[in-house]
Amino acid sequence: MAPIKALNTGSVRLTLVVVLVFVALVLTGFVYKMNQPRILNKYELRANGAVELDTPRKFSDFQLTDHHGQPFTQENLKGKWTLIFFGFTHCPDICPTTMAAAARMYAALDEDERENLQVVLISLDPERDTPEQLAKYVPYFNSDFIGVSGNQHVLLKLATELNVAFSRVDLDNGDYTIDHSGNLVLINPYGHYHGFMKPPFEEGSMRLTWRSINASF
């Protein structure tokens, strides 16, 4: 009878190993799935303030200058996602609020996610927002962020193609301000206009929607 007992013991051990391997695979798959971004449908995206275009749009090339004094063109928008905010450094409210929300959202991303996303402030006030001024302002929110400005006509054409409206408003004291749209424009890694996020901005919703859009791209 001893051989039969040994055989039974071996079968039990084999069964136990198979069960343990199966459980480990199930747990690994569960953890992997839990760590994957949730894919939102278009209604959920809109509820979180994000809109994806049915067909991403190409737009004209342009040449501006970043806060390091280097050329900034459409080539700088390829190879990763880009969030563009059209604003200006003298803006008293929505600009710093939006940049701060983008900074919190960006900081909470994983390292590989941050490598796949850049945040760009395009100034609509080139008269005051020189590269030097942008270099003082933009890195305050995050050292990875990029400040850009340039020729007023180039800015107008680019903003128009990306559905961003703005206008200069003269003030009674002789100064001026810029009225402008508050959306964050989303450019995909092909350099195409992919969609936008609408204010008010909450970093958790921004992170959720960007992860969903990135995962489904």
Side-chain angles (χ1 to χ4, degrees), residues 21-37:
V21 169
F22 176 75
V23 170
L25 289 174
V26 170
L27 288 175
T28 300
F30 177 76
V31 171
Y32 175 80
K33 184 175 181 180
M34 290 297 294
N35 287 330
Q36 295 308 298

Side-chain angles (χ1 to χ4, degrees), residues 20 23 33 41 45 54 57 63 75 82 90 103 105 129 132 144 153 160 169 175 177-178 190-191 193 196 202 206 209:
L20 290 175
V23 170
K33 184 175 181 180
N41 61 44
L45 286 173
D54 291 333
R57 300 178 194 166
Q63 181 156 333
E75 286 300 312
T82 306
H90 287 73
M105 172 263 197
D129 286 344
E132 292 77 16
D144 291 338
H153 299 293
T160 300
V169 178
D175 202 355
T177 188
I178 309 288
Y190 294 122
Y193 175 29
F196 57 90
E202 193 280 315
M206 294 168 67
T209 54

Side-chain angles (χ1 to χ4, degrees), residues 33-151:
K33 184 175 181 180
M34 290 297 294
N35 287 330
Q36 295 308 298
R38 181 181 165 213
I39 305 299
L40 306 178
N41 61 44
K42 65 179 181 179
Y43 303 106
E44 292 174 313
L45 286 173
R46 288 178 183 270
N48 280 279
V51 176
E52 272 191 290
L53 303 182
D54 291 333
T55 302
R57 300 178 194 166
K58 296 181 180 181
F59 53 95
S60 304
D61 197 6
F62 59 88
Q63 181 156 333
L64 297 169
T65 303
D66 70 17
H67 71 267
H68 299 294
Q70 299 300 311
F72 191 90
T73 71
Q74 197 172 47
E75 286 300 312
N76 295 93
L77 302 179
K78 296 179 180 179
K80 62 175 62 179
W81 290 91
T82 306
L83 275 176
I84 298 178
F85 183 67
F86 286 83
F88 62 112
T89 66
H90 287 73
C91 175
D93 39 47
I94 190 172
C95 298
T97 300
T98 300
M99 293 295 288
R104 291 192 294 271
M105 172 263 197
Y106 182 83
L109 296 175
D110 297 333
E111 183 177 353
D112 60 332
E113 292 177 317
R114 290 195 298 272
E115 291 176 355
N116 195 34
L117 176 68
Q118 61 182 348
V119 178
V120 179
L121 170 68
I122 295 184
S123 174
L124 300 170
D125 186 14
E127 183 177 331
R128 293 180 294 194
D129 286 344
T130 62
E132 292 77 16
Q133 173 65 16
L134 290 169
K136 297 176 184 176
Y137 182 84
V138 175
Y140 169 80
F141 298 97
N142 190 289
S143 59
D144 291 338
F145 288 5
I146 303 168
V148 175
S149 193
N151 182 276

